């Protein structure tokens, strides 16, 4: 008995004594959950995997397990460059897609009433310039006018896509650029015919001529609007007015140094309209008017004789019908000969004569339209221009920001003044100072400048429209 008990004790001694060795636990304990002792478990048979790897897959597995060396550096760099190129291509494609979708969405917020009016005026201008330049024996003017119109439309839509706040926030940089441009023109500029005896408002780049003051008007509207926006709560303070006077006086003074009196008067008109839109007290306007009237005799007495004559003839062309008043008299004659219905397209007597109507494709384009289109054609043009100005003023009133409203007011003031002055010149009621009729007169710089101005107006409209659209959705 003792011998049997001793054998049983010896057989089960590891479990009874509670040895902690992991080896005995693995060897003698029952496998968890199987109910089978390790000695009773059948060994697993090794079965080879049935998957057959390609050489590329096998090589990848070997590299991952460290059995083979890594890929050579030149191959790694080649793969990396290929991956980077693919990534850049994907990012570029995504960027272009986002831009196109945003621009497509932007097109739904454009003021198409303004665009349509501008398009109609541009077509009339192309037709009028074609008729006015038939006697010159070249189609260069037609190609130039059509080309500038197409480029202008592209610039207009591109500028309308840009947030005008980006420009107004950097108005100091734009002001410096404008000052440098006008200063360069005043020093190195020439006249329209290449000479510098009369004025210095053109820059000649070979056969191409640029009139920087036309582009400078738009830059001035942006900077002056931003300046007024920063001082809108104290615009009637004397110190504020001195700063604004310095701003406008610097730009207008540089234009006067170019001896371009006509463009200087446009800048003055823009300034007055924008100050009025900024709610400057009417007492300041009244005081400025009284000072102008009081100083007019003194200013007139100090003018040169030819300057006095030009000014007087401007209001009464018959004082010098063969020289200074000749252009205005011929323009009046062409307008009167058109009658109600006009003489017909390309049938105007003065228009189709090489020498009877000077500057007929630029300053006197309204006389061409009136002679060949009659009263009906001239009234249609006036109504289109009037409608454009009213539409832009409406955009100013509906703008959600002061700077946007002032930009629209400045552009509307510019168009309004140029229209009144040009038609007044053609009727012999105002001095001939070389101001073009918006979108109708021939020109490169003037056409591009006008499309830039309308692009800014559309940018204000689009931003305001998106603002109210998103607010409505919320």
């Amino acid at each position: 008995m003792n011998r049997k008990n001793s054998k049983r004790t010896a057989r089960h001694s590891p479990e009874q004594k509670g040895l902690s060795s992991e080896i005995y636990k693995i060897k003698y304990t029952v496998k968890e959950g199987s109910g089978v002792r390790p000695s009773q478990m059948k060994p697993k048979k090794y079965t080879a995997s049935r998957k057959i790897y390609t050489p590329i897959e096998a090589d990848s597995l070997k590299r991952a397990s460290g059995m083979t060396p890594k890929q050579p550096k030149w191959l790694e760099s080649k793969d990396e460059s290929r991956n980077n190129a693919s990534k850049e291509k994907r990012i570029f494609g995504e960027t272009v897609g986002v831009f196109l979708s945003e621009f497509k969405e932007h097109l739904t917020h454009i003021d198409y009433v303004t665009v349509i009016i501008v398009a109609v005026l541009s077509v009339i201008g192309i037709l009028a310039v074609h008729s006015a330049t038939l006697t010159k024996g070249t189609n260069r003017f037609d190609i130039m006018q059509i080309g500038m119109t197409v480029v202008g439309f592209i610039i207009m839509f591109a500028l309308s896509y840009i947030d005008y706040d980006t420009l107004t926030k950097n108005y100091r940089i734009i002001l410096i650029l404008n000052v440098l441009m006008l200063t360069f023109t005043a020093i190195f500029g020439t006249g329209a015919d290449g000479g510098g005896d009369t004025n210095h408002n053109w820059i000649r780049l070979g056969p191409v001529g640029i009139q920087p003051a036309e582009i400078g008007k738009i830059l001035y509207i942006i900077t002056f609007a931003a300046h007024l926006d920063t001082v809108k709560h104290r615009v009637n303070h004397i110190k504020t007015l001195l700063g604004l006077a310095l701003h406008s006086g610097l730009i207008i003074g540089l234009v006067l140094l170019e001896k371009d009196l006509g463009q200087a008067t446009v800048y003055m008109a823009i300034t007055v309209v924008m100050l009025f839109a900024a709610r400057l007290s009417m007492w300041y306007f009244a005081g400025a008017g009284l000072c102008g009237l009081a100083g007019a005799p003194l200013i007139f007495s100090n003018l040169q004789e030819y300057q006095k004559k030009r000014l007087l003839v401007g209001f009464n062309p018959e004082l010098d019908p063969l020289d200074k008043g000749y252009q205005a008299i011929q323009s009046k004659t062409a307008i009167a000969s058109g009658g109600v219905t006009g003489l017909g397209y390309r049938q105007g007597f003065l228009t189709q004569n090489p020498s009877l109507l000077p500057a007929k494709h630029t300053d006197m384009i309204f006389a061409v339209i009136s002679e060949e289109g009659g009263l009906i054609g001239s009234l249609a043009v006036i109504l289109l221009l009037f409608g454009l100005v009213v539409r832009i003023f409406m955009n100013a009133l509906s703008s959600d920001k002061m700077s946007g409203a002032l930009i629209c007011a400045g552009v509307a003031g510019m168009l309004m003044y140029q229209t009144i002055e040009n038609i007044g010149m053609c009727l012999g009621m105002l001095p001939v100072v070389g101001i073009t009729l918006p979108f109708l007169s021939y020109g490169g710089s003037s056409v591009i400048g006008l499309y830039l101005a309308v692009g800014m107006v559309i940018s204000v409209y689009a931003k305001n429209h998106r603002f109210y659209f998103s607010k409505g959705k919320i």
Side-chain angles (χ1 to χ4, degrees):
M1 186 69 181
N2 293 333
R3 189 176 295 174
K4 291 180 179 180
N5 292 336
S6 61
K7 289 180 179 180
R8 189 177 299 169
T9 304
R11 186 186 303 169
H12 303 290
S13 57
E15 295 180 8
Q16 293 175 354
K17 292 180 179 180
L19 295 177
S20 60
S21 174
E22 294 295 332
I23 298 175
Y24 285 106
K25 284 185 179 181
I26 295 172
K27 186 175 180 180
Y28 291 102
T29 55
V30 178
K31 185 177 179 182
E32 184 178 355
S34 65
V36 181
R37 293 179 181 276
S39 60
Q40 297 176 349
M41 295 177 62
K42 295 180 180 181
K44 293 183 178 180
K45 294 182 179 180
Y46 175 78
T47 56
S49 176
R50 294 182 180 180
K51 179 175 176 61
I52 299 176
Y53 294 101
T54 63
I56 297 176
E57 292 175 336
D59 186 65
S60 300
L61 291 173
K62 289 179 181 180
R63 294 183 191 280
S65 61
M67 296 175 65
T68 57
K70 294 183 178 180
Q71 190 171 331
K73 290 185 178 181
W74 65 274
L75 284 177
E76 290 180 359
S77 61
K78 189 174 181 181
D79 291 343
E80 184 178 356
S81 62
R82 188 183 296 111
N83 293 333
N84 290 337
S86 177
K87 185 178 180 181
E88 291 175 0
K89 185 176 181 181
R90 185 174 66 256
I91 293 174
F92 177 76
E94 293 175 355
T95 304
V96 171
V98 171
F99 170 77
L100 291 176
S101 62
E102 288 182 354
F103 190 77
K104 185 178 179 180
E105 194 265 344
H106 168 71
L107 293 177
T108 62
H109 303 307
I110 284 181
D111 182 10
Y112 284 103
V113 175
T114 299
V115 173
I116 290 172
I117 295 175
V118 169
V120 173
L121 286 170
S122 299
V123 172
I124 296 174
I126 291 172
L127 295 174
V129 169
H130 170 71
S131 178
T133 56
L134 279 176
T135 57
K136 296 185 180 296
T138 177
N139 60 354
R140 180 177 67 88
F141 299 96
D142 300 332
I143 295 173
M144 183 70 173
Q145 190 74 359
I146 294 173
M148 289 297 99
T149 301
V150 172
V151 173
F153 261 94
I154 295 173
I155 293 174
M156 179 182 69
F157 279 105
L159 188 58
S160 71
Y161 182 73
I162 300 174
D163 189 350
Y164 69 92
D165 278 341
T166 305
L167 300 175
T168 54
K169 288 177 182 177
N170 298 288
Y171 79 95
R172 292 181 178 85
I173 298 175
I174 297 175
L175 177 60
I176 293 172
L177 292 176
N178 199 13
V179 169
L180 292 175
M181 180 179 67
L182 295 176
T183 302
F184 181 86
T185 306
I187 297 174
F188 301 101
T190 63
D193 55 354
D197 296 335
T198 55
N199 48 33
H200 306 276
N201 57 342
W202 286 83
I203 297 295
R204 291 288 170 183
L205 302 174
V208 180
I210 302 173
Q211 194 173 8
E214 293 283 358
I215 311 299
K217 287 186 293 189
I218 316 306
L219 302 182
Y220 174 66
I221 289 173
I222 294 172
T223 58
F224 202 61
H227 191 170
L228 282 170
D229 186 37
T230 58
V231 297
K232 56 188 175 185
H233 299 299
R234 56 182 189 280
V235 68
N236 289 302
H237 294 184
I238 297 298
K239 291 183 179 179
T240 301
L241 286 177
L242 290 176
L244 293 170
L246 179 63
H247 185 156
S248 60
L250 175 63
I251 300 298
I252 297 173
L254 289 172
V255 177
L256 288 173
L257 286 177
E258 298 175 5
K259 300 181 181 179
D260 194 345
L261 180 61
Q263 290 295 341
T265 59
V266 178
Y267 279 81
M268 294 176 188
I270 292 171
T271 304
V272 171
V273 173
M274 293 182 72
L275 287 173
F276 179 81
R279 298 181 180 179
L280 181 67
S281 175
M282 295 302 296
W283 289 106
Y284 289 109
F285 290 107
L290 290 175
C291 291
L293 289 175
L298 179 62
I299 296 173
F300 185 80
S301 62
N302 289 324
L303 293 176
Q304 299 293 327
E305 192 61 33
Y306 78 93
Q307 291 176 327
K308 294 179 181 179
K309 190 174 182 180
R310 179 181 292 272
L311 187 62
L312 294 173
V313 169
F315 293 101
N316 188 7
E318 284 72 16
L319 291 175
D320 189 7
L322 299 179
D323 188 13
K324 302 298 183 183
Y326 178 77
Q327 187 176 7
I329 292 174
Q330 293 299 96
S331 175
K332 290 168 61 177
T333 304
I335 293 172
S337 64
V340 176
T341 59
L343 301 180
Y345 183 58
R346 302 196 302 182
Q347 300 299 321
F349 177 74
L350 275 76
T351 298
Q352 301 308 322
N353 190 289
S355 59
L356 290 181
L357 184 60
K360 54 187 175 180
H361 63 299
T362 53
D363 297 348
M364 299 300 166
I365 196 69
F366 183 76
V368 174
I369 296 172
S370 298
E371 185 182 30
E372 298 187 345
L375 180 64
I376 297 175
S378 58
L379 283 179
V381 167
I382 292 173
L383 289 175
L384 285 170
L385 290 168
F386 177 75
L388 180 61
V389 171
V390 171
R391 181 66 181 181
I392 295 175
F393 272 127
M394 290 174 62
N395 289 340
L397 292 174
S398 62
S399 177
D400 62 304
K401 285 192 174 182
M402 183 70 170
S403 58
L406 291 171
I407 288 174
C408 291
V411 173
M414 178 186 71
L415 295 176
M416 180 174 61
Y417 176 78
Q418 288 192 206
T419 300
I420 294 172
E421 173 61 30
N422 183 274
I423 295 176
M425 290 191 318
C426 293
L427 292 173
M429 300 172 64
L430 292 174
V432 179
V433 291
I435 293 178
T436 58
L437 190 61
F439 301 105
L440 297 167
S441 296
Y442 170 81
S445 302
S446 62
V447 171
I448 295 299
L450 290 168
Y451 281 108
L452 285 172
V454 176
M456 290 298 302
V457 172
I458 297 175
S459 175
V460 174
Y461 176 88
K463 182 178 178 62
N464 185 56
H465 189 60
R466 284 195 298 267
F467 172 76
Y468 285 109
F469 181 76
S470 60
K471 187 171 71 171
K473 287 174 64 176
I474 294 173

